[in-house]
Amino acid sequence: MTATFHKLTPDDLAALRAICGDDYVLTEKPDLEIYGADETEDLCFLPEVVVRPSATDQVQAIMRHCAARRIPVTPRGGGTGLSGGALPVYGGVSLSLDRMNRILEIDADNLAVVAQPGVVTQTLQEAVEELGLFYPPDPASRGSCVIGGNVAECAGGPRALKYGVTKDYVLGIEAVLPNGDLIRWGGKLLKNVSGYNLAQILVGSEGTLAIVTEVTLKLIPLPKHRIMLVAPFEEGEKAAVALTKIFRARLIPSAAEYLEGAAVRCAEEKFGKSFPQSDAEAHLLLELDGNDRSVLEKDAETVGEICLAEGARDVLLADDLARMNDLWEMRRGIGEAVKAVSIYKEEDTVVPRARLPELVRVVREITTRHGLSAITYGHAGDGNLHVNILKRDLSDAEWTDRLPGAIGELFERVVAMGGAVSGEHGIGWVQKRYLPIALGPVELDLMRRLKAAFDPQGILNPGKVLPDET
Ligand SMILES: Cc1cc2nc3c(=O)[nH]c(=O)nc-3n(C[C@H](O)[C@H](O)[C@H](O)COP(=O)(O)OP(=O)(O)OC[C@H]3O[C@@H](n4cnc5c(N)ncnc54)[C@H](O)[C@@H]3O)c2cc1C
């Protein structure tokens, strides 16, 4: 299928200019280089052209043209993806939705927001919060990723623990199929079982089935109070056990992040700020929220007692906004800080949350046995740990020899624990070889047929998600 893709000709460029306007069709190398990369390692695949439509009918026209000419199209949001989903690996068109960035409606009566795909996630969150409403999914990249990318990746983030991930908020969707047809499914409805749920099929489909051009998201009331706790531990596993005990006490924090000391120290160095007791081996960063301050304080006390009983050195409380924001800023910057240390490979492991202590142990055991070093952090409350394997001073040969075996074994163990090969970063380009560890031939074949039903020519984001058949 991919062998028959066509290269763009001057006529194709003229057609795209007629659809979007000259200023929004980019062909200069510096532009192509920006759209040829995302946040996945140091990969870059240049598109032949970048197009920046401003409306759904333009997206339709672009897809009609590309379908007729068999030109590959890769949708692009904020370009913060960590599995290479927005990389135009077959060249063709990088379709940026950045100009479709309007919040169309905040409906406080129906508790819903209607947005275009290019709205920055943090912008949407702040707009609804001004009205006392809450859109909880908050990937750490929320200042630069966009709603379309979040829907395509089913983005999670720290608050998934209590509030769920993007799929739990998508009520309705408008999308353009690879042949240019428009589909709409759902709307401001909490209940809707009218046929197959096309909106949820698109959630997490990584831009391989259709291009999201509008989305209706559920909102909830904004909790009035928040309290944050930081608990440093001498042993990472004990931090993970403490978290399990917090759940056993029937408490669900609004966030429960696990940060290895090494990750915290990278962030301290990068941002020139201090984190409490950063010499500890691991930290739990916990947040509780609610409307009744006294209940919250009591719950925070219980959480603190559990951490101390499990060996936390101390439990530090932050309840003023400035300090909480400061700690969150450091937490959100940890990924960037760790990746600045060395060439790296990030794995997005996820297991049932009660198996977290085992996951912490397994990561250390496997990476050490393969002669690799790793720094781990993530959304521990969801059993979701980001394992950053670092090259440091290994030779290129040692790095390429050791890495595949270690990653394969890690995912085998994760899947044996009831886990999956990606919790929230998606499969995209870089993880597709590991998908058969988690899924059997029947599931993979069904996915291939689903892809063919949406995209019979295979022009939309080719090379992603599904493993190569050879
Ligand atoms: C520092 C950092 C922290 C991060 N933290 C988190 C985190 O806490 N939780 C989390 O889940 N992720 C996290 N991520 C990963 C990333 O931010 C998310 O996957 C995010 O959802 C990607 O959104 P984006 O707009 O940048 O999409 P892009 O990277 O541009 O694209 C991602 C995928 O979506 C597709 N796509 C984009 N727009 C559309 C559209 N309109 N229609 C159809 N397909 C589309 C693309 O083709 C691609 O496959 C983090 C990334 C970074 C760099």
Side-chain angles (χ1 to χ4, degrees), residues 209-448:
L209 301 181
I211 298 149
V212 176
T213 48
E214 191 183 297
V215 58
T216 304
L217 299 165
K218 182 173 86 171
L219 300 174
I220 58 176
L222 181 67
K224 289 196 178 81
H225 306 289
R226 289 193 285 146
I227 293 183
M228 190 182 249
L229 303 162
V230 180
F233 287 80
E234 296 298 354
E235 286 173 48
E237 241 176 287
K238 288 202 168 160
V241 171
L243 194 53
T244 311
K245 299 234 164 125
I246 292 170
F247 297 136
R248 225 178 267 163
R250 304 290 177 258
L251 288 171
I252 301 284
S254 50
E257 300 287 289
Y258 173 87
L259 311 173
E260 265 189 16
V264 166
R265 291 188 288 276
C266 289
E268 283 191 321
E269 200 165 316
K270 183 158 175 67
F271 300 109
K273 288 185 175 180
S274 67
F275 195 90
Q277 305 207 12
S278 58
D279 60 323
E281 188 187 296
H283 293 76
L284 280 182
L285 182 80
L286 299 148
E287 193 173 272
L288 298 146
D289 69 3
N291 290 328
D292 186 326
R293 181 95 212 164
S294 59
V295 172
L296 210 54
E297 280 166 0
K298 199 167 173 314
D299 287 350
E301 210 179 299
T302 310
V303 167
E305 281 162 9
I306 292 171
C307 290
L308 290 171
E310 288 309 314
R313 274 187 192 171
D314 200 352
V315 175
L316 306 132
L317 195 91
D319 59 357
D320 72 288
L321 203 58
R323 184 61 183 140
M324 283 195 282
N325 287 344
D326 219 35
L327 287 167
W328 272 123
E329 201 186 322
M330 283 195 72
R331 161 61 191 99
R332 290 197 179 101
I334 272 181
E336 201 188 325
V338 168
K339 285 163 190 156
V341 167
S342 153
I343 290 176
Y344 67 93
K345 180 86 177 74
E346 178 168 4
E347 303 306 330
D348 177 30
T349 59
V350 62
V351 294
R353 54 178 66 148
R355 313 245 356 212
L356 185 74
E358 196 180 340
L359 178 60
V360 169
R361 200 168 51 241
V362 161
V363 169
R364 194 176 318 116
E365 188 247 304
I366 291 178
T367 49
T368 308
R369 186 155 38 74
H370 284 265
L372 295 162
S373 76
I375 299 185
T376 303
Y377 57 86
H379 316 300
D382 314 326
N384 182 198
L385 285 190
H386 304 318
V387 181
N388 283 266
I389 306 175
L390 303 177
K391 180 169 181 279
R392 294 199 191 263
D393 48 12
L394 290 180
S395 69
D396 290 351
E398 286 168 330
W399 176 243
T400 43
D401 280 357
R402 294 177 191 181
L403 202 55
I407 298 172
E409 194 181 333
L410 178 61
F411 281 138
E412 298 277 2
R413 295 279 289 275
V414 160
V415 170
M417 282 186 240
V421 299
S422 178
E424 56 176 20
H425 294 166
I427 299 299
W429 172 248
V430 294
Q431 297 302 86
K432 59 184 180 172
R433 77 174 77 164
Y434 303 111
L435 198 56
I437 296 176
L439 300 175
V442 178
E443 290 87 0
L444 288 173
D445 178 59
L446 188 59
M447 287 187 185
R448 285 188 206 287

Side-chain angles (χ1 to χ4, degrees), residues 75 77-81 85 139-141 146 149-150 152-153 155-156 206-207 210 212 379 424 461:
T80 67
S141 52
V146 298
N150 293 172
E153 294 289 348
E206 305 192 37
V212 176
H379 316 300
E424 56 176 20
N461 212 353

Side-chain angles (χ1 to χ4, degrees), residues 3 34 38 40 64-65 71 91 98 141 162 177 193 214 226 228 236 243 264 294 300 311 315 458 463:
I34 292 170
D38 61 4
T40 312
R64 275 191 210 107
H65 181 85
I71 291 169
D98 66 311
S141 52
K162 181 170 176 183
L177 296 180
V193 287
E214 191 183 297
R226 289 193 285 146
M228 190 182 249
L243 194 53
V264 166
S294 59
V315 175

